[in-house]
Amino acid sequence: MKLELVSKLKLQPEVNYSIIGVELNDGENEATIKLRYVDVALLAKLGVCEKVNLFAGPQVGFLTWAKRDSSFTNEMLDLKNDFKDHDYGLVFGAEYKFNNHIFLSGRYYHGLYQVAESWNDFVLRNRYISFRLGYIF
């Protein structure tokens, strides 16, 4: 769904599911933390030319799952209580439309919110790059 504001500027609301992870390694042991979110974004899309769009906008994520898998315990630990139940930030990206139905896009998400209060004195914010190949109905 897109809402046209002017001829080359549209608003596009989105709901996405994302899996974000980080691998921690001290040389002897390693652990992987995985976070899963339902993300809601409102993107302003600017048509640069017939096939290329640039977009940017705010995004809010709602944490649905948080686990740690480690080589030294061989078990998945639930970390959902260690992380905040939401995240917010900004999305920037570009999209190329091959035709009216098939597109390729890339985006960068820059989290503005610290997703955990205290994690060994680290500041934890979500930041990621994602690529999409999609079909528009």
Side-chain angles (χ1 to χ4, degrees), residues 1 13-14 22 27 33 38 41-43 46 48 59 69-70 74 89-90 96-97 101 103 121-123 130 135:
M1 180 174 115
E14 293 184 351
V22 63
I33 297 173
V38 172
L42 182 60
L43 304 177
L46 177 65
V48 177
Q59 176 175 296
D69 182 15
S70 63
N74 291 326
L90 300 172
Y96 179 81
K97 293 174 80 176
H101 298 289
F103 71 91
D121 296 326
F122 289 106
V123 175
S130 67
Y135 186 85

Side-chain angles (χ1 to χ4, degrees), residues 72-83:
F72 48 91
T73 62
N74 291 326
E75 64 181 288
M76 289 287 261
L77 299 175
D78 189 353
L79 299 178
K80 194 157 189 275
N81 292 332
D82 295 336
F83 288 87

